């Protein structure tokens, strides 16, 4: 397991969460364009790198688990309120109390799932490094939204910091577990391929939701958001140089 890759993901999560803590006035358009950029990057990397890998490993069974992963993410967002794609439905007025446990449970399950592919042994050498870029990019707005929700619900600073640190550790820990257990067990190594297919489905749900829903009033695509999406896709295409 490449420790630098894990550090990149960890730092991206921490940076995303720290921004709303230290920047007093965040431009309201920043999360929208950040989500559009990172969602497009994640979408492109999923299609170009992850899909070929799981179909190579699982054949036509891959499609079944990708569909299951898509709807598993639909179920998870009933707990996380769409925080993964920046479209939280949690009211943030001062009289509302955020139910922190289900929010963190849904996000943590998602974060754990997306860490498992980072410990998978890909045939394509470019897949892992490209996936790190996609996951790290996704972590920025994900942590940003989580901490913003906590701050608007007037959680204590200690709780907010503790939540951010624990959340930042979930994905690297999942990657380490998948890598270490996969090296010592052929069964777990094979089983991980099915988890990767589930994660692909979740990524497809999150990224496409970002394209057409997050940060918009009528699900429209402004030209600025289109530019952000295009930039994310360009970054995804640039990962092909790793091959």
């Amino acid at each position: 397991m490449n420790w630098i890759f894990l550090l990149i993901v960890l730092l991206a999560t921490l940076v995303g969460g720290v921004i709303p803590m230290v920047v007093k006035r965040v431009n309201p358009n920043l999360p929208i364009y950040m989500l559009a950029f990172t969602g497009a990057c994640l979408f492109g990397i999923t299609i170009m790198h992850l899909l070929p890998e799981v179909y190579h490993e699982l054949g036509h069974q891959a499609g079944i688990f990708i569909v299951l992963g898509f709807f598993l993410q639909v179920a998870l967002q009933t707990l996380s309120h769409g925080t993964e794609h920046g479209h939280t439905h949690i009211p943030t007025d001062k009289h509302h109390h955020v139910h922190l446990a289900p929010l963190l449970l849904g996000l943590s399950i998602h974060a754990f799932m997306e860490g498992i592919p980072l410990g998978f042994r890909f045939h394509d050498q470019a897949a892992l490094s490209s996936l790190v870029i996609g996951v790290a990019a996704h972590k920025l707005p994900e942590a940003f939204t989580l901490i913003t929700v906590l701050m608007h619900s007037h959680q204590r600073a200690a709780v907010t910091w503790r939540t951010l640190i624990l959340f930042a550790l979930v994905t690297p820990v999942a990657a380490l577990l998948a890598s270490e257990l996969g090296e010592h067990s052929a069964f777990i190594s094979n089983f991980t391929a099915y988890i990767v297919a589930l994660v692909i489905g979740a990524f497809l749900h999150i990224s496409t939701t970002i394209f057409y829903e997050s940060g918009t009033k009528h699900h429209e695509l402004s030209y600025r958001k289109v530019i952000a999406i295009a930039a994310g896709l360009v970054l995804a295409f640039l990962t092909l140089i790793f091959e």
Side-chain angles (χ1 to χ4, degrees):
M1 188 68 222
N2 192 318
W3 288 89
I4 295 178
F5 288 166
L6 297 185
L7 183 61
I8 290 172
V9 173
L10 177 68
L11 290 177
T13 311
L14 292 174
V15 169
V18 166
I19 290 174
M21 292 191 209
V22 300
V23 180
K24 298 300 181 182
R25 291 186 179 181
V26 177
N27 188 316
N29 290 325
L30 176 62
I32 298 173
Y33 303 134
M34 186 190 300
L35 279 162
F37 174 80
T38 59
C41 178
L42 187 63
F43 178 82
I45 288 170
T46 298
I47 297 297
M48 290 187 290
H49 295 288
L50 299 189
L51 272 178
E53 287 286 333
V54 295
Y55 273 99
H56 179 269
E57 289 286 332
L58 304 177
H60 293 296
Q61 284 186 321
I64 298 172
F65 286 89
I66 289 170
V67 172
L68 289 175
F70 187 96
F71 288 100
L72 174 60
Q73 183 57 43
V74 173
L76 285 176
Q77 75 176 28
T78 63
L79 295 173
S80 63
H81 301 276
T83 306
E84 302 93 331
H85 51 75
H87 191 209
T88 179
H89 300 279
I90 298 176
T92 55
D93 62 89
K94 63 182 180 180
H95 301 293
H96 185 84
H97 175 68
V98 173
H99 296 291
L100 187 58
L103 171 66
L104 288 178
L105 177 61
L107 271 181
S108 296
I109 293 172
H110 167 72
F112 192 87
M113 286 177 57
E114 68 186 359
I116 291 176
L118 296 175
F120 183 67
R121 290 191 172 187
F122 292 98
H123 294 280
D124 176 12
Q125 295 300 315
L128 180 57
S129 52
S130 302
L131 179 60
V132 169
I133 293 174
V135 171
H138 172 55
K139 285 295 184 183
L140 284 166
E142 187 179 53
F144 181 99
T145 305
L146 170 62
I147 298 305
T148 300
V149 168
L150 295 181
M151 292 177 65
H152 284 181
S153 65
H154 303 284
Q155 296 289 335
R156 291 183 293 110
V159 173
T160 302
W161 274 105
R162 187 162 58 245
T163 300
L164 175 60
I165 293 170
L166 291 175
F167 178 68
L169 290 171
V170 172
T171 298
V173 167
L176 281 173
L177 285 174
S179 177
E180 291 299 316
L181 294 176
E183 286 185 2
H184 297 90
S185 171
F187 170 79
I188 292 178
S189 181
N190 294 331
F191 180 74
T192 302
Y194 293 94
I195 302 298
V196 174
L198 290 174
V199 173
I200 287 174
F203 282 167
L204 291 177
H205 177 275
I206 291 168
S207 57
T208 52
T209 301
I210 287 170
F211 293 160
Y212 299 112
E213 183 175 344
S214 296
T216 62
K217 294 181 179 178
H218 304 291
H219 299 236
E220 76 276 6
L221 284 173
S222 67
Y223 78 91
R224 290 188 179 91
K225 192 171 180 180
V226 170
I227 292 173
I229 290 172
L233 289 175
V234 168
L235 177 58
F237 278 111
L238 288 176
T239 63
L240 294 174
I241 66 176
F242 295 141
E243 293 185 352

